[in-house]
Amino acid sequence: MPDAPEVKAATSNGIPPPSFNLPLPDKPEIITANVQKLTEQTPNPRHKFIFKALIKHLHQFVNETSLTTDEWMAAIDFLTRTGQKCTPLRQETILLSDVLGVSALVDSLNNPVAGGATENSVLGPFFTEDAAEVDFGESIASEGKGDYMYVEGRILTTDGQPIPNAVIETWETDADGFYDTQYADRSYPDCRGRLRSGDDGRFGYRAVVPVAYPIPGDGPVGELLLLLGRHNMRPNHLHMMVEAPGFHKLVTAFYPDGCKYLESDCVFGVKKSLVVSLKDIVDEEEARKRGFPHGRSFKLLQYDIVLLTEAQSAKMRDGVDQERCIITEDHKKF
Ligand code: BEZ
Ligand code: FE
């Protein structure tokens, strides 16, 4: 007989059994109690807090729904396919978090505002780092990408002082409802730009009127929305991300009123304060002055963006934690 190939014996992860024995369950509740008892050993207090809550709610969910084995297997199959659908360009798991409202909730809890500061909205998967620099008054969209829109405003502190030299990233779909990255033949960034506020905090640029568009519907998340009888549309919006030294980074979007999907955004990104009214400017001379090469009219979006300082934002976040009363010093952040 030839020698068997050398195989290393299977070993544990090195953590010894606990100093106590768990009762062997004679009813389902013991399973939950046992998992919680073992989780008590988690060395990092924040991890322990998170996982104890996760187990509590997950087990409660299974009990409350009397989940069947087939249903749990269907859920596992769904989550597996969700992960498998991800590529460097497609993030189906984030999309799942988006349609379940978890992205919007995490974002809102982590970016509370006050003092008239501009609220956050979901980032989404279509931001890219390669937007062209756009000077004041220039266009982020190539000609023919949609109806004209001019966007202008100021970047301000909560006490109304201008914030100069803030970096503003902005992106949107074209009139067909596609981001440039959704075109297989994308050869340059379009409908996106990087600007800076002036000494007086002002910014201004030409863009196109955004349209409502569907989030990707050809994966497990699309199936889920059909199962739930939900549409997969986002109301029309213009994304903006603003950064300035000493200020809390703002990731937001503006939603023109009148869209039929405004109150049922499939990713729950709309907030009341981010709904805007576009002005109709029908004036050929004004259109030309703003740099629009054709047409007599354009829409005007005016909005002053107010940033919190880092210190203001940190104070607000602490306030949220305390209000919720469940986070002690020990349970805080990793
Ligand atoms: C977006 O607005 O670009 C977006 C946000 C969440 C999911 C899909 C798209
Ligand atoms: Fe978007």
Side-chain angles (χ1 to χ4, degrees):
M1 282 272 278
D3 286 350
E6 201 181 317
V7 180
K8 282 213 177 103
T11 55
S12 88
N13 64 2
I15 297 180
S19 55
F20 51 85
N21 286 329
L22 296 171
L24 297 180
D26 50 10
K27 49 186 178 182
E29 302 86 278
I30 306 289
I31 298 172
T32 304
N34 283 352
V35 182
Q36 290 295 32
K37 187 119 194 264
L38 275 190
T39 310
E40 280 294 339
Q41 300 196 123
T42 310
N44 178 298
R46 177 67 179 165
H47 292 167
K48 190 199 305 194
F49 180 66
I50 289 174
F51 279 91
K52 285 194 73 180
L54 177 70
I55 291 154
K56 175 175 144 187
H57 293 291
L58 199 55
H59 284 228
Q60 209 167 3
F61 163 78
V62 173
N63 280 314
E64 194 178 310
T65 57
S66 291
L67 205 67
T68 67
T69 303
D70 283 352
E71 285 165 344
W72 186 230
M73 284 303 123
I76 286 173
D77 173 62
F78 173 80
L79 291 174
T80 304
R81 288 186 298 112
T82 300
Q84 285 168 342
K85 190 76 186 169
C86 295
T87 70
L89 293 176
R90 170 89 181 250
Q91 234 304 352
E92 193 78 358
T93 314
I94 292 183
L95 206 58
L96 177 60
S97 151
D98 293 342
V99 302
L100 294 178
V102 179
S103 305
L105 181 59
V106 170
D107 187 56
S108 286
L109 288 177
N110 281 276
N111 296 283
V113 291
T118 304
E119 290 191 275
N120 260 56
S121 187
V122 287
L123 171 69
F126 296 114
F127 169 69
T128 66
E129 303 275 356
D130 65 350
E133 301 272 345
V134 171
D135 282 338
F136 188 93
E138 281 187 354
S139 183
I140 63 162
S142 49
E143 190 56 29
K145 279 288 173 180
D147 293 337
Y148 294 150
M149 178 170 79
Y150 196 86
V151 186
E152 66 183 14
R154 291 172 300 167
I155 310 291
L156 300 173
T157 63
T158 49
D159 50 11
Q161 297 305 305
I163 303 175
N165 216 26
V167 177
I168 304 163
E169 297 273 0
T170 183
W171 65 105
E172 61 174 336
T173 64
D174 60 18
D176 290 319
F178 293 113
Y179 286 93
D180 58 351
T181 49
Q182 294 176 289
Y183 290 101
D185 61 350
R186 178 191 199 251
S187 50
Y188 56 91
D190 205 350
C191 294
R192 60 181 76 238
R194 185 178 307 121
L195 312 102
R196 274 165 207 282
S197 57
D199 289 345
D200 52 2
R202 287 192 184 280
F203 63 88
Y205 59 99
R206 282 177 282 137
V208 292
V209 178
V211 299
Y213 65 85
I215 62 166
D218 61 342
V221 173
E223 275 171 41
L224 176 66
L225 291 180
L226 290 175
L227 178 124
L228 298 175
R230 278 173 53 185
H231 70 71
N232 66 338
M233 296 297 289
R234 292 223 65 203
N236 51 335
H237 58 275
L238 172 79
H239 292 273
M240 288 180 87
M241 183 156 81
V242 187
E243 276 186 279
F247 290 89
H248 188 62
K249 179 176 170 178
L250 174 72
V251 178
T252 196
F254 299 105
Y255 300 86
D257 54 14
C259 175
K260 67 177 173 187
Y261 299 111
L262 195 67
E263 286 88 7
S264 63
D265 180 7
C266 67
V267 300
F268 307 95
V270 183
K271 289 178 177 154
K272 211 175 186 174
S273 66
L274 301 176
V275 176
V276 293
S277 287
L278 301 184
K279 281 189 194 148
D280 250 322
I281 310 287
V282 186
D283 180 334
E284 194 164 347
E285 206 184 310
E286 187 63 25
R288 212 161 283 137
K289 227 167 62 190
R290 302 257 183 176
F292 292 115
H294 307 292
R296 294 181 306 111
S297 63
F298 63 95
K299 302 271 188 201
L300 181 61
L301 193 171
Q302 292 173 307
Y303 202 100
D304 283 343
I305 292 175
V306 178
L307 300 186
L308 293 174
T309 62
E310 281 297 2
Q312 285 174 314
S313 172
K315 204 167 155 202
M316 293 295 304
R317 288 196 297 276
D318 269 359
V320 169
D321 286 351
Q322 268 157 29
E323 221 175 86
R324 295 166 64 75
C325 279
I326 48 171
I327 316 270
T328 68
E329 269 312 304
D330 239 17
H331 294 149
K332 272 200 183 151
K333 324 302 161 190
F334 295 106

